[in-house]
Amino acid sequence: MNITAVPAPAAVRTTEERFRLDARTTVHADATVRDIADRLRQHLSASTGLPLASADGDAGTNVIRLRIDASLNREEYRLSVRGDAVTIVGGAPAGVFHGTQTLRQLLPPATLRRAPLSIRDDDALTIPGCEIVDAPAYRWRGLMLDTVRHFTEVREILRIIDLLALHHMNVLHLHLTDDQGWRLEVRGYPLLTEIGAWRPSTQVGRGEESGTPHGGYYTQDDIREIVAYAAARHITVVPEIESPGHARAALAAYPEFAVAGTAPEGVWTRWGISDDVFSVEEETIDFLCDVLDEVMDLFPSPYIGIGGDECPKTRWRDDPRTQERMRELGLDDEEQLQAWFVGRLEVHVRARGRRIFGWDEILEGGASGGFGAGTAVASWRGEIGARVAVKRGFDVVACPADQVYLDYRQSESDDEPIPTGIPLGWRDVYRFEPTPSGLTTEEADRVLGGQGNLWTEFIDSPQRIDYMLFPRLGALAEVLWTGARRRIDDFERRLPEYTDRLEALGVAYRRETGPRPWERRPGIPGSTRTREELAEHLARITASIADA
């Protein structure tokens, strides 16, 4: 029997043996991984109706064993399926957990459902005999979810976490603030959510607005639930608080932190980039440091996102007080001013024992040379940000727009329900190479991995999220886990059973035949580009770091 797990394990040897999963099957686990064993039992019992009792001892037959072997790397695991036992050994609980997710994919897709299968009592589910040796190619295997343009409810985030876990993904990057909304409760600044979390209308066409208010935010208890739920599945939640641009929602709530005379009237209802930016006064820095303190209290992630991207300089350039401030600081231009601003936040975050995580614009302006070790750069404007960052000694998360922007359309078809960006089908995502060519061994080691980015201007429901993510997320997961060992023809062979699993999980994925009629939605503004046009655009906006 062929193994159809996604992502593909590093090494598989199949055998003629079969493990029969039946009423006698027990589950035994080391004390350190009993929670993982309990979750596995819950998953399998729900769909099979079998008791799968917890075993007190390690002896006996017809047993599933989970244990730690400290000689393995943290996320590495071994999965052995023999006639009398299934054994999962991991270098740490994370490795054991990944092994259980692969085991779930060795069973029929229907075992991913939450109710007993329609099988006779005398039937037994079988797991094919195999010996699997597996470990990830990259340390950062993530998804960025924009919760600002359209708010994602907690229950949907938890569902997404479960889907990430099944794919061995280990990072959920939450984009929490922007011009169009502020999504995180900050108790020291309650107006951020009382005012900043709500917009009176939303752009729905090229120039039209819906007139329907939109908003929502996560309470601190919501965040604790999300973080704990993810941690139990060995996923780190990385928060992002935008600065110094993409700030209009915050400034609508607290206009005193805007550039003098530019306080916005309300949360922005348009897409794109507002000219509103934070001022560069000390009071503004103090405000953002206070916010980041609450963020760091909620999120144990070693990385704290501070944004840094697409900051318009018009307000700073036209404001006499900002120009005076630049002279006080001995700065030559607004690019250096932004670098100073980000640098102040970096010092604060580093003092709390964390590292900043910012878009590749933080490489501009010269001050990044003073950032602390471990600063992570999200390289989204092609490869140039990754190349410059590793040469300056920073870590990199590769997420180039032309390869892994999962809000982009998936074909040239006029039927695509969200006709934006360039066409990126799952085959295009599968060709993504997180590590640029030509790096030294030391530089390549600074590439932590990669992530797909899902911006939600035109994604306003869980169904739309599913459609844009799958099966492309499966392709991305295989890139980041399997690495250079992956084969596109083999992924295509496994795709039918993979999509059967998505069906069992209730995922509204995009079919190979294209969108179904009910998935099409008129009125979405098209902003399509060719690959050549996107390449020219990215080259133009990265010229400053390319020259560096």
Side-chain angles (χ1 to χ4, degrees):
M1 178 177 178
N2 290 320
I3 303 300
T4 62
V6 173
V12 178
R13 181 176 66 84
T14 59
T15 72
E16 295 301 318
E17 296 188 70
R18 295 288 187 271
F19 180 83
R20 298 175 64 83
L21 191 67
D22 59 30
R24 301 168 300 149
T25 305
T26 59
V27 179
H28 175 272
D30 289 352
T32 53
V33 292
R34 281 180 187 155
D35 61 325
I36 298 172
D38 289 343
R39 192 163 293 112
L40 178 64
R41 290 172 58 239
Q42 291 166 7
H43 283 308
L44 297 182
S45 292
S47 59
T48 65
L50 299 173
L52 302 178
S54 178
D56 292 331
D58 197 16
T61 59
N62 210 267
V63 61
I64 300 174
R65 299 188 184 98
L66 279 58
R67 60 184 179 85
I68 298 292
D69 180 348
S71 68
L72 303 179
N73 292 327
R74 192 179 71 85
E75 291 192 288
E76 187 177 2
Y77 71 91
R78 305 284 189 268
L79 170 57
S80 171
V81 179
R82 299 183 180 178
D84 61 348
V86 173
T87 304
I88 299 174
V89 180
V96 174
F97 180 78
H98 294 316
T100 65
Q101 300 308 295
T102 298
L103 177 63
R104 295 177 68 199
Q105 297 188 59
L106 300 183
L107 285 157
T111 59
L112 296 172
R113 295 187 181 274
R114 300 181 184 180
L117 306 174
S118 55
I119 58 176
R120 297 190 309 273
D121 291 341
D122 58 348
D123 284 342
L125 294 171
T126 60
I127 305 173
C130 60
E131 301 288 334
I132 292 176
V133 177
D134 205 8
Y138 288 98
R139 291 163 281 173
W140 185 299
R141 306 179 301 280
L143 171 70
M144 188 287 299
L145 177 64
D146 168 20
T147 68
V148 174
R149 277 49 177 244
H150 282 100
F151 181 63
T152 304
E153 299 286 351
V154 171
R155 63 179 179 272
E156 291 304 324
I157 290 185
L158 302 185
R159 185 180 70 93
I160 289 168
I161 288 170
D162 279 330
L163 291 168
L164 293 177
L166 189 66
H167 290 78
H168 302 341
M169 305 284 270
N170 66 351
V171 174
L172 175 60
H173 165 192
L174 288 181
H175 184 77
L176 293 166
T177 73
D178 215 299
D179 294 317
Q180 296 84 4
W182 184 285
R183 302 287 177 237
L184 176 67
E185 178 188 19
V186 179
R187 290 177 177 169
Y189 296 91
L191 297 183
L192 287 172
T193 47
E194 290 178 22
I195 294 174
W198 313 96
R199 59 177 183 259
S201 185
T202 295
Q203 181 177 341
V204 293
R206 292 186 183 278
E208 305 83 29
E209 293 189 16
S210 66
T212 302
H214 182 84
Y217 66 92
Y218 306 110
T219 67
Q220 296 205 355
D221 282 343
D222 289 336
I223 293 299
R224 292 185 184 97
E225 180 181 4
I226 290 168
V227 168
Y229 194 88
R233 290 150 183 81
H234 300 276
I235 291 172
T236 299
V237 183
V238 176
E240 182 190 356
I241 304 298
E242 275 279 12
S243 65
H246 288 292
R248 178 156 174 164
L251 297 176
Y254 290 95
E256 60 266 37
F257 301 124
V259 173
T262 67
E265 294 181 2
V267 176
W268 216 29
T269 60
R270 313 293 298 172
W271 305 138
I273 307 166
S274 167
D275 281 340
D276 295 292
V277 297
F278 286 114
S279 78
V280 294
E281 302 295 342
E282 287 300 317
E283 293 81 4
T284 303
I285 300 295
D286 290 343
F287 158 72
L288 284 168
C289 288
D290 288 345
V291 169
L292 289 172
D293 280 338
E294 289 203 33
V295 169
M296 287 186 279
D297 288 342
L298 289 168
F299 294 89
S301 165
Y303 297 95
I304 302 296
I306 47 77
D309 62 309
E310 299 178 324
C311 178
K313 308 300 191 299
T314 304
R315 300 278 199 246
W316 288 348
R317 195 174 294 119
D318 294 345
D319 175 49
R321 170 56 190 155
T322 301
Q323 294 299 307
E324 179 186 16
R325 182 80 166 132
M326 285 171 53
R327 291 189 291 273
E328 291 173 359
L329 296 169
L331 303 176
D332 296 331
D333 56 33
E334 290 76 19
E335 297 298 331
Q336 289 184 10
L337 182 61
Q338 176 174 331
W340 170 84
F341 191 107
V342 173
R344 289 291 301 275
L345 301 184
E346 192 274 339
V347 169
H348 185 77
V349 169
R350 180 158 34 105
R352 289 281 304 264
R354 312 292 187 90
R355 308 170 186 177
I356 65 164
F357 173 60
W359 302 101
D360 56 36
E361 285 92 335
I362 68 173
L363 297 168
E364 299 173 353
S368 60
F371 288 173
T375 291
V377 175
S379 179
W380 72 275
R381 298 178 296 176
E383 285 190 350
I384 185 63
R387 293 184 180 279
V388 171
V390 297
K391 291 184 182 302
R392 294 189 190 176
F394 303 131
D395 292 336
V396 164
V397 176
C399 50
D402 58 346
Q403 297 178 69
V404 290
Y405 265 40
L406 302 181
D407 54 309
Y408 284 179
R409 60 194 167 125
Q410 299 181 65
S411 75
E412 294 277 13
S413 170
D414 292 337
D415 291 336
E416 283 295 335
I418 304 176
T420 59
I422 63 171
L424 281 180
W426 70 258
R427 292 172 181 83
D428 300 300
V429 174
Y430 201 88
R431 297 184 183 101
F432 169 45
E433 294 292 348
T435 304
S437 61
L439 300 184
T440 66
T441 301
E442 181 182 1
E443 289 168 348
D445 190 55
R446 296 191 188 112
V447 179
L448 301 178
Q451 66 181 31
N453 293 337
L454 187 68
W455 303 102
T456 60
E457 285 90 341
F458 309 116
I459 303 174
D460 59 358
S461 70
Q463 187 181 73
R464 293 275 176 227
I465 289 175
D466 283 2
Y467 180 87
M468 301 308 285
L469 286 184
F470 297 99
R472 293 191 292 187
L473 190 76
L476 177 63
E478 190 146 306
V479 168
L480 298 172
W481 180 273
T482 310
R485 303 182 300 267
R486 70 189 187 274
R487 289 176 30 231
I488 194 168
D489 60 332
D490 186 55
F491 184 86
E492 190 161 16
R493 174 188 66 80
R494 287 175 281 127
L495 193 59
E497 188 152 347
Y498 172 64
T499 54
D500 284 347
R501 287 195 284 271
L502 295 178
E503 290 273 6
L505 290 163
V507 175
Y509 65 94
R510 184 189 190 276
R511 282 163 161 69
E512 276 285 90
T513 52
R516 292 160 285 198
W518 55 264
E519 290 167 336
R520 301 169 193 161
R521 177 181 298 176
I524 296 288
S527 57
T528 60
R529 283 176 167 149
T530 65
R531 289 188 175 276
E532 292 74 21
E533 289 169 339
L534 180 58
E536 290 175 4
H537 172 70
L538 294 176
R540 184 169 62 254
I541 63 177
T542 56
S544 59
I545 56 172
D547 292 342

